[in-house]
Amino acid sequence: MTIASNTSSAGLSKSTAEIKLSNRSIYGKKVADLRKTGIMPVHLYGGDGGSLSLQGDSADLNNLLPRVGLNIPVSVIVEDNNSNEICFVREIQRHPLTENILHVDFMRVDVKSKITASVPIKILGDSPAVRLLGGTIIQNIQLITVEALPLNVPELISIDISSLTDFETAIHISDISVDDDVIITNPSDALVVRVAPPRVELDVSDEAPEDDMDETETEVAAGTDTDQQEERED
């Protein structure tokens, strides 16, 4: 069984996401004041370009990050240096209470060298085991690890679950088909999606009233002992 999966790649020719940043001269505790003005601190590292302390518009970054996740390349333009780097988001620091983004790390990549990335799974289709048999979809793996050139990394991997016709069928890594320039590195026998049967609830009315029977037997037994004792006393 082979599950055809759409692996939409994010390349420069497909409107690669872009963000404009500038050099940052504020560090340490003073960064909090920077955030109050709508500016977010950014760290850029990796490759041969060295480490850079940058900053960008908080609104622009908050709009960009949910769209690109950790597996879609971003064209980072450093205005002061007149440079354009292909990067991936590698870390996002958030406030522990508000979940607001405090800091972002971008990592440079060589577009000619393969990288390893985690790609989210998107479930498509309709499972007969769910529709007709009342089962529940169980997704064991949320992200698939792939190896590919940076601009060939899929945005997502779509899995059609219409082949799940009963509770015995399942989709494993070996069932997933991707583009020739993408290699899935998860174990081939890893379970991705299955359908669990509905839970069967026990009808209480069908159970024997064990408690009542025990009480009756106890009363009878007690009565018998009393009668025997009275006969001995007489």
Side-chain angles (χ1 to χ4, degrees), residues 12-140:
L12 288 174
S13 61
K14 297 183 179 181
S15 300
T16 298
E18 182 181 286
I19 188 71
K20 292 182 179 180
L21 304 175
S22 58
N23 288 308
R24 172 164 51 95
S25 58
I26 297 177
Y27 310 95
K29 295 182 179 180
K30 293 183 179 180
V31 170
D33 295 330
L34 191 68
R35 296 189 185 99
K36 292 178 182 179
T37 64
I39 302 299
M40 187 181 301
V42 175
H43 181 212
L44 176 65
Y45 66 95
D48 299 327
S51 179
L52 297 177
S53 294
L54 306 173
Q55 63 186 34
D57 184 80
S58 295
D60 291 343
L61 285 162
N62 277 301
N63 181 55
L64 171 79
L65 298 175
R67 292 192 291 114
V68 300
L70 301 178
N71 68 306
I72 298 178
V74 180
S75 177
V76 176
I77 301 173
V78 183
E79 296 177 321
D80 303 339
N81 302 347
N82 195 28
S83 63
N84 188 339
E85 316 251 19
I86 300 300
C87 306
F88 282 88
V89 176
R90 274 299 168 259
E91 185 177 355
I92 300 174
Q93 297 179 15
R94 296 180 180 273
H95 190 282
L97 298 179
T98 65
E99 290 294 321
N100 291 333
I101 298 174
L102 301 177
H103 186 99
V104 182
D105 284 357
F106 285 98
M107 185 184 75
R108 297 185 190 89
V109 293
D110 180 357
V111 294
K112 296 181 180 179
S113 299
K114 288 186 177 182
I115 63 169
T116 298
S118 297
V119 181
I121 294 172
K122 182 178 181 180
I123 300 297
L124 299 178
D126 183 16
S127 167
V130 174
R131 186 180 72 256
L132 303 177
L133 303 179
T136 302
I137 289 291
I138 304 296
Q139 185 175 343
N140 288 45

